Amino acid sequence: GYSSAASDVYKRQVYEGPVAEGTKLFKKDGYYYISIPEGGVGSGWQTVMRSKDIYGPYESKRVLEMGVTKVNGPHQGALVDTPEGEWWFYHFQSADPQGRVVHLQPVVWEDGFPVIGMDYDKNGVGEPMKVCKKPSIKCNLTPHAPQSSDDFTSDKLALQWQFNHNPANENWSLTSRPGWLEIKALKAENVRESRNQFTQKTMGYKGEAVIRMDYSDMTEGQRAGLECIGDKFCGAGILMQMDGGVLQPVVYYENEGQVKLIKTIERADDRIVYVKLVIDALTNNHQFSYSLDGQNYLDCGDSFREGSRDWKGSRVGLYSYNTKADGGSAWFDSFEYKFDGPGGLAAEE
């Protein structure tokens, strides 16, 4: 390492700003540029500075702000150029319950500074565009959303799935029953603490997720089903409990560990349940429902609101855990997720 005296040579403050963070430094056309998100996540803006000398002094310009748009906090991104010579700026919007929503804005350079988006209010600072032409790339690609639904017919886990905790890989399988995802329950107190949660980011502003689950191998104390997690961890599905010495499946709902029993299933030959989650992020309203035939659905618990947590937005997914001891398997035949897609932002406007 350097001595303290030598290290002082490499420590020179060139700028101090309001909540300046995530600084990016690059060189272009003989200038050193510093790109800085400022002002905080919820209501910030993007500043770009330049100087011939890395130590300054720097010219400074605000290049992107919310302005008259509905896209708050447009900053914390990156300037990128393409092989075709175009420039673009990635940034995010902080919005509950989706968390940080990624946007892409076109960039042109004028007088040595990037002009980002569109200056709707004519104050000399760019603002996020509602609609813009996509980047010009030398290949044919049809616009499409990332994969979301899954029929679990592959023996490899699809790319959209993420574990909410480090996985216990010996306790889940795509091969023990081909065409199904098995989650063997590990002991936990509630859905927040359950292991092997298979989750994915909620998409768009309105959506609907439906699962088909076989609970025939679930054991006493086990809970499994469809979840929605963010600042709250909510789930709906099947809870197994003893009733008069008989193991009884009960449709149930939980919100942050608070459990509500919905319906005892008296007799079911195939031991199949369907659970649906309807998401409306515009009103921040979420509602679980259940069905025993896949056609007729009844509400499962109360509607609830979600929010982002630790900078992450709400997620949907699958879970299986047991409040008594390790044991029992939930089998998931399908996860079907439909959402409003690219029209979501236009709907908000």
Side-chain angles (χ1 to χ4, degrees):
Y2 299 105
S3 68
S4 59
S7 65
D8 288 341
V9 176
Y10 299 94
K11 295 179 181 178
R12 186 181 303 179
Q13 180 173 308
V14 298
Y15 176 76
E16 181 176 350
V19 198
E21 57 180 346
T23 303
K24 295 178 176 63
L25 177 69
F26 62 97
K27 195 172 185 180
K28 180 180 184 295
D29 300 331
Y31 281 90
Y32 292 96
Y33 284 88
I34 299 178
S35 178
I36 311 176
E38 296 193 287
V41 170
S43 57
W45 61 90
Q46 188 73 22
T47 296
V48 170
M49 307 187 303
R50 72 170 190 165
S51 173
K52 288 284 189 179
D53 188 326
I54 194 170
Y55 294 113
Y58 279 87
E59 302 173 71
S60 179
K61 185 176 181 180
R62 184 181 294 196
V63 295
L64 185 68
E65 64 183 7
M66 178 178 179
V68 296
T69 75
K70 294 183 179 181
V71 182
N72 66 311
H75 71 334
Q76 284 218 17
L79 284 159
V80 295
D81 61 331
T82 71
E84 288 72 30
E86 294 182 344
W87 282 80
W88 294 83
F89 184 71
Y90 284 98
H91 69 91
F92 71 70
Q93 170 191 13
S94 181
D96 275 337
Q98 299 103 322
R100 295 183 171 183
V101 180
V102 178
H103 292 251
L104 182 65
Q105 303 295 335
V107 175
V108 295
W109 288 83
E110 293 181 0
D111 301 323
F113 281 92
V115 177
I116 302 175
M118 178 73 71
D119 184 8
Y120 292 110
D121 60 9
K122 306 302 182 184
N123 71 341
V125 181
E127 298 157 74
M129 295 179 68
K130 300 178 180 66
V131 178
C132 66
K133 185 180 178 181
K134 68 181 180 68
S136 298
I137 52 177
K138 293 180 178 178
C139 61
N140 283 328
L141 284 178
T142 302
H144 63 281
Q147 182 179 337
S148 54
S149 298
D150 200 340
D151 60 7
F152 303 116
T153 54
S154 173
D155 60 358
K156 300 289 191 301
L157 190 63
L159 292 177
Q160 74 268 29
W161 294 111
Q162 296 178 322
F163 291 96
N164 195 52
H165 304 70
N166 290 336
N169 288 318
E170 66 278 9
N171 286 82
W172 68 271
S173 176
L174 286 164
T175 58
S176 57
R177 181 181 177 185
W180 297 73
L181 167 66
E182 177 188 17
I183 305 180
K184 298 178 182 178
L186 293 172
K187 186 178 181 182
E189 292 298 316
N190 49 54
V191 71
R192 180 185 288 271
E193 297 177 9
S194 65
R195 297 291 300 275
N196 289 342
Q197 297 177 42
F198 287 73
T199 75
Q200 59 178 279
K201 192 85 169 65
T202 54
M203 304 285 284
Y205 287 88
K206 293 186 178 182
E208 179 181 290
V210 181
I211 66 167
R212 183 175 187 267
M213 185 180 77
D214 181 342
Y215 56 91
S216 59
D217 285 340
M218 290 177 61
T219 60
E220 183 184 4
Q222 190 175 356
R223 303 171 184 176
L226 177 64
E227 68 179 1
C228 184
I229 62 176
D231 62 345
K232 300 183 185 69
F233 277 61
C234 302
I238 295 294
L239 175 154
M240 302 297 285
Q241 65 180 14
M242 298 300 292
D243 184 5
V246 177
L247 187 60
Q248 193 75 59
V250 181
V251 177
Y252 92 109
Y253 161 76
E254 68 172 289
N255 185 326
E256 284 297 277
Q258 298 298 309
V259 169
K260 184 176 183 179
L261 303 182
I262 306 298
K263 177 182 175 59
T264 299
I265 301 176
E266 300 295 345
R267 182 178 181 278
D269 294 330
D270 55 5
R271 296 279 177 136
I272 295 291
V273 68
Y274 300 80
V275 185
K276 179 189 295 185
L277 172 66
V278 174
I279 300 168
D280 186 340
L282 294 176
T283 61
N284 199 353
N285 188 71
H286 302 67
Q287 179 67 59
F288 285 111
S289 59
Y290 76 96
S291 172
L292 300 181
D293 60 10
Q295 301 295 323
N296 302 294
Y297 284 84
L298 297 172
D299 283 352
C300 186
D302 303 320
S303 63
F304 60 96
R305 297 174 64 84
E306 270 295 0
S308 58
R309 178 184 174 87
D310 300 329
W311 308 291
K312 298 184 291 293
S314 61
R315 306 181 70 81
V316 291
L318 311 169
Y319 68 94
S320 171
Y321 70 96
N322 196 312
T323 59
K324 292 187 174 295
D326 295 352
S329 289
W331 300 91
F332 298 91
D333 181 36
S334 61
F335 177 91
E336 185 178 2
Y337 184 21
K338 301 176 182 178
F339 49 89
D340 61 358
L345 184 59
E348 184 185 31
E349 298 296 340

